[in-house]
Amino acid sequence: EVQLQESGPGLVKPSQSLSLTCSVTGYSITSSYRWNWIRKFPGNKLEWMGYINSAGSTNYNPSLKSRISITRDTSKNQFFLQVNSVTTEDTATYYCARSGVGALFDYWGQGVMVTVSS
Amino acid sequence: DVVMTQTPVSLPVSLGGQASISCRSSQSLVHSNGNTYLHWYLQKPGQSPQLLIYRVSNRFSGVPDRFSGSGSGTDFTLKISRVEPEDLGDYYCLQSTHFPWTFGGGTKLELK
């Protein structure tokens, strides 16, 4: 069974970088699919942030493009999210998710809550 | 970006009753390939979102036939018949016709 699990610090200071890991089991991230990051803000709004595909190419939401980076470690079957210069507006629950064609997110991690605060 | 507007924000229902959620997009979701990439997700309390309906009206694997999706162009509807306790939660529409992919604001289905 495919499983995804996010990990990372729950508290980040403003102006610093947020770094999260998504560990995938049951499927190789180099085989197929896109591997996404999505976040849910305290007001319940969802935002798709970006993905890395099985070939290693990335695609980012333009609203975040200057601050975001998604990378991977194929030897560990993990992919990563980095958001630079965070503000309190980046406080959210962050999810990693697998998608096929057309943003069909079929497997999700359980989510990790990140608070940006001094 | 395509703005997805969901109504209502909150929807009180009785168990066994019917619920209808509307999702409207700021531009047509018909892709140049003829497909319409409008999907519905449910986030139950304490869980991650789960895919219910893809491309307007196709139920994802394991989704009961009490859930149905319809619509075209810019107007879409999710209907839930014979509401059960496990149907309660936050419903979101998502468009992936246009980049970037965008979600609706959500509809909370709760007990009356």
Side-chain angles (χ1 to χ4, degrees):
Chain A
E1 182 189 2
V2 179
Q3 293 187 326
L4 293 83
Q5 181 160 341
E6 306 90 348
S7 59
L11 181 64
V12 181
K13 293 187 184 326
S15 80
Q16 294 187 344
S17 293
L18 176 163
S19 296
L20 299 175
T21 298
C22 182
S23 300
V24 180
T25 57
Y27 196 89
S28 171
I29 63 173
T30 61
S31 290
S32 186
Y33 292 96
R34 296 164 173 171
W35 304 90
N36 299 263
W37 287 98
I38 296 158
R39 62 183 178 178
K40 186 174 185 182
F41 297 103
N44 281 349
K45 175 186 171 185
L46 282 166
E47 179 181 58
W48 170 76
M49 302 179 72
Y51 65 71
I52 186 166
N53 68 15
S54 57
S57 298
T58 55
N59 205 355
Y60 302 136
N61 190 320
S63 69
L64 294 163
K65 194 168 186 178
S66 62
R67 297 196 298 131
I68 191 178
S69 176
I70 299 177
T71 57
R72 66 182 185 174
D73 183 336
T74 57
S75 68
K76 295 182 179 178
N77 214 37
Q78 296 175 326
F79 63 105
F80 311 101
L81 171 70
Q82 181 169 314
V83 182
N84 298 320
S85 306
V86 298
T87 70
T88 55
E89 311 256 306
D90 293 305
T91 293
T93 298
Y94 288 76
Y95 297 93
C96 56
R98 186 182 85 166
S99 72
V101 175
L104 301 188
F105 303 111
D106 56 357
Y107 287 96
W108 296 66
Q110 83 285 355
V112 60
M113 188 178 300
V114 178
T115 301
V116 179
S117 175
S118 54
Chain B
D1 297 0
V2 175
V3 177
M4 305 296 290
T5 303
Q6 275 184 247
T7 55
V9 172
S10 175
L11 182 53
V13 295
S14 300
L15 295 178
Q18 179 167 304
S20 180
I21 300 170
S22 171
C23 178
R24 289 187 173 176
S25 56
S26 59
Q27 54 186 281
S28 174
L29 298 186
V30 180
H31 194 275
S32 56
N33 65 13
N35 290 324
T36 299
Y37 295 99
L38 184 284
H39 323 295
W40 291 95
Y41 289 83
L42 163 62
Q43 185 169 27
K44 300 180 183 181
Q47 297 186 19
S48 302
Q50 60 189 80
L51 178 61
L52 291 176
I53 302 283
Y54 63 95
R55 292 203 308 272
V56 181
S57 58
N58 299 279
R59 279 187 299 276
F60 188 58
S61 174
V63 175
D65 60 6
R66 300 183 291 101
F67 292 87
S68 63
S70 63
S72 62
T74 61
D75 288 340
F76 303 90
T77 302
L78 175 71
K79 289 187 177 178
I80 311 158
S81 60
R82 306 183 304 279
V83 171
E84 297 188 4
E86 59 263 32
D87 301 337
L88 302 179
D90 296 327
Y91 288 79
Y92 295 90
C93 57
L94 163 70
Q95 71 80 23
S96 59
T97 296
H98 304 284
F99 184 77
W101 306 336
T102 48
F103 289 89
T107 295
K108 180 176 289 294
L109 188 69
E110 54 192 1
L111 283 179
K112 210 176 264 188

